[in-house]
Each structure stands twice: as C-alpha cells, then as structure tokens.
Amino acid sequence: MTSSDRNPLKKPSKHRRQTGSALALTLVVAAAGLVPTSSAAAVQALPPQCSGTSPIKCQFNVAPGNYQVTVELGSPDRAANTSMSVEARRQILSAVSTTAGQIVQTSATVNVRVPEGQPTGQGGTGTSGLSITFGGSAPQVRSVTVAPASAPLVVYLAGDSTTCDQFTSPYAGWGQAFPLRVGSGAVIANYGDSGESSGSFLNNRALFPTVKPLIKSKDLVFIQFGHNDKNTTSTAFRDNLSRMINGVRERGGLPVLVTPPVRRQFSGSTLTRTAQHVNGLGVDLPAVMRSLGRSANVPVIDLTAKSKALVESLGPTASQPLYLTRETGDNTHFSMYGATKMADLVVQGVREQNLSLTAFLR
C-alpha cells in the first residue's frame, strides 16, 4: 500500500471512554439573538453545551447509538446562512439561507460512536457524546432537540479511506457526504477505515467483528474494497467478500457490494487500468465484485463505472478538484467537493437498485 492510499494522519491518540448516560435524553437549546417575549425577559444566550458564533459548536453527553436531532434554523431579527455537520465532519445539512424572521425546522437521524471518526482511531478520536457544528456564512440556531431515535433503518459502510469519516480537511470520504442525501428515519453508520483491504477489514476486531453484531434485520451494509487489495488474488478477494456477505445475512441484514471509485490516473484522455483497479496481479477487482453479485444475488452499485464516466467526461484538468491533486498531489483521495459527487453517484445506484433506503432519500 502506498502512502497515497492511507489517511496521512496515522498516529491515533488514546480516546476518552464514553461517559454519557444511556438513558433517554432530550436537550432543548435556545440560541442567542431571540427577541424577548416581554420587557422583563432577557435575550437567551447559548447554554454551556454550545459555544461560538461562526461556527456554533455544541456537545451533548449521550451514549453511543442513533439519535433524532431536530433543529430550528434562522433568526427573528437577521438574515442567516446555516449548515450542519456532526461528529468527524460528517455532513448533515447544506447551508440554508433564511431571511430575518424566517425560521426553518429540519430533522435528521445521526449515529454516535466511539471513536467518532475512523474505527481504529486514525487521525484522531474526537470527544465522547454527540458533537454538532453549525457553519455557513452567518449561522443562526434557534433550537436543538436531541432524543434517541426510534428503530431507524441503519446503513453501515464497510470500506477504506475513500469511504471513511476523515477528521482533517481537505481529506474527505464519500461516506462523510452521504448523509446529506439521506432524510430522517435512516442513518449512516460509517465504519470505513484508512488503509483497509478486504482481508484486513474482515479480521480487524474494530471493524467487521464490531459491525456484525450491531446489524439488525433489514439493515443495509455497503461493502466497498479494492484500493488496498493491490496484491490480493481473485480467489482471496472473492472469499473475503463472500465471508462478509454471509456474515451480514446471518444477522438478517442486506449486503450491497459497491465497486471502488477510480483513481485520477490518465493515459491521454482515458483512465489507466490501475486507476480502474486492475491490481498488481492482473486481477480486475470490480469485475470480481460484479460477478460475485450475480452469483450470490447481491445488489451491486458500480461506483467504478460511474466514477470513470464522471472523471473521463471532465478530463485531466477539470477532474482535479474532485481529488486533492492541487492541494497535495493526491489522485486517490477526495476533496469534500469530490466526496459529495461520489456520494451522489452512490445515491444514483441506490435508486437504480431500488434499495429500501430509496424511501428515505432527500
């Protein structure tokens, strides 16, 4: 595995253990800037759980699990522009513009785990509980309500650094942008981890062995590998994926194979075979996944083909902003812009396969 295939932040710091109560918790937060209801009333300030003005950051002491977060965005006396992310830069809501006096309410289901970024702690471990950040050019938050989610559809992501929740900008995995397209009632639990191959993910106790017991009936598990299977034989790759598929089915879940997104490696106006994940042994990894999908009756989202079409349509120069070509010379990992485009392609595949998640897409 080359350095470009890993998160460059390699040394995890020891995370703090979760201290929040597992009991139901509802927190209602009134933001600064509210008009007093009477002459005796004072303008309410952000409580201890929240601080800052741009961005506004809030920290709620809750146990790992899935939570329903309902927010009111806007201000009674000023225009605002407010976005929302949670945990390790996981995007929940694109910036919403409101006029003075306009209040917009929205709700999302979010996943909380420890560590909050990559499961092995690469790049950082974050804080215990639920972290919410309200950004945008002029964020205004009227209220936030956090409560345990009631039996959401959970979509688990099993993948590598192109999928994972990257702690540090400008790096981003498409799993970080995926929640932007998913409405309330479904939640993305991203267990992608930098540098993982199909074999290492299967055997690392922080990865598939942790995910498997969490899977409930009808949950979805998206499985994407290939970037780090550079010397994996066709037989081993197929066997590793088959073991994950069988493990998901043992729990009553639905496995979904996602072929890996292409690297930005051109030969003239077309992508090289390496960019399309033909590995060092000559194994066409996406082709193995497509074949396995057919034989095992597993839905396949062909992100390799979809991303190839996108990158080649843009060409060698216009495709650079999708990756970190200009920032770090990295043609494997995505910018947040590129991660969002890849997430859109995954959403396209969800619709094409008519997966249960379709009903929850924004």
Side-chain angles (χ1 to χ4, degrees):
M1 176 172 50
T2 63
S3 60
S4 67
D5 292 313
R6 275 195 182 274
N7 186 325
L9 305 172
K10 296 182 180 178
K11 276 289 186 184
S13 59
K14 188 174 181 62
H15 69 265
R16 291 187 291 162
R17 297 297 297 174
Q18 170 64 44
T19 59
S21 169
L23 298 176
L25 174 63
T26 300
L27 300 171
V28 179
V29 182
L34 299 183
V35 176
T37 56
S38 70
S39 58
V43 174
Q44 290 179 286
L46 290 170
Q49 292 90 347
C50 300
S51 62
T53 56
S54 185
I56 297 168
K57 293 190 175 184
C58 306
Q59 186 72 32
F60 300 117
N61 190 25
V62 298
N66 298 312
Y67 292 86
Q68 198 66 25
V69 179
T70 302
V71 299
E72 289 183 321
L73 307 176
S75 168
D77 59 1
R78 68 191 70 180
N81 179 271
T82 313
S83 64
M84 176 181 168
S85 62
V86 301
E87 301 291 88
R89 301 171 58 237
R90 201 180 318 143
Q91 306 300 296
I92 300 297
L93 186 67
S94 297
V96 174
S97 294
T98 50
T99 59
Q102 181 185 14
I103 303 297
V104 174
Q105 184 183 85
T106 189
S107 183
T109 314
V110 302
N111 177 256
V112 176
R113 65 181 183 276
V114 177
E116 66 182 47
Q118 300 183 60
T120 59
Q122 295 185 72
T125 56
T127 57
S128 61
L130 170 61
S131 303
I132 304 178
T133 300
F134 296 100
S137 60
Q140 290 289 319
V141 183
R142 186 179 177 92
S143 69
V144 182
T145 303
V146 178
S150 177
L153 172 67
V154 183
V155 181
Y156 293 95
L157 305 184
D160 53 35
S161 57
T162 62
T163 305
C164 74
D165 287 351
Q166 298 275 9
F167 250 102
T168 306
S169 179
Y171 288 83
W174 64 258
Q176 276 176 293
F178 198 24
L180 283 171
R181 308 303 185 226
V182 177
S184 179
V187 64
I188 306 302
N190 190 354
Y191 281 80
D193 196 75
S194 291
E196 305 301 338
S197 66
S198 58
S200 67
F201 192 92
L202 183 64
N203 295 309
N204 188 317
R205 65 181 183 179
L207 301 173
F208 192 74
T210 292
V211 173
K212 182 179 175 181
L214 299 175
I215 300 167
K216 302 184 304 300
S217 177
K218 300 182 180 180
D219 284 343
L220 300 173
V221 182
F222 287 18
I223 302 168
Q224 180 213 284
F225 293 99
H227 278 87
N228 301 304
D229 284 278
K230 295 184 179 68
N231 294 301
T232 306
T233 66
S234 176
T235 299
F237 190 57
R238 187 183 181 95
D239 287 350
N240 291 337
L241 296 176
S242 295
R243 288 175 61 190
M244 282 186 260
I245 288 168
N246 292 336
V248 172
R249 285 175 166 167
E250 287 170 11
R251 297 289 302 169
L254 175 67
V256 179
L257 292 174
V258 181
T259 63
V262 296
R263 297 183 177 93
R264 187 192 154 277
Q265 296 173 345
F266 278 91
S267 176
S269 60
T270 60
L271 293 174
T272 66
R273 283 166 54 85
T274 301
Q276 299 174 64
H277 303 289
V278 177
N279 74 8
L281 301 180
V283 179
D284 187 331
L285 299 171
V288 174
M289 298 181 80
R290 297 182 197 110
S291 174
L292 178 58
R294 288 190 296 269
S295 63
N297 194 27
V298 176
V300 177
I301 295 175
D302 198 343
L303 187 55
T304 306
K306 291 179 182 297
S307 59
K308 176 180 183 291
L310 172 63
V311 173
E312 287 187 342
S313 72
L314 293 171
T317 300
S319 63
Q320 291 179 6
L322 296 172
Y323 299 84
L324 300 176
T325 308
R326 296 171 183 173
E327 294 86 348
T328 65
D330 187 331
N331 293 302
T332 295
H333 296 103
F334 303 119
S335 63
M336 188 58 77
Y337 169 73
T340 302
K341 290 296 185 183
M342 295 299 153
D344 287 343
L345 295 178
V346 174
V347 167
Q348 186 183 92
V350 169
R351 294 188 188 278
E352 291 169 352
Q353 295 293 332
N354 196 28
L355 301 178
S356 56
L357 181 62
T358 303
F360 298 92
L361 295 175
R362 295 186 189 273

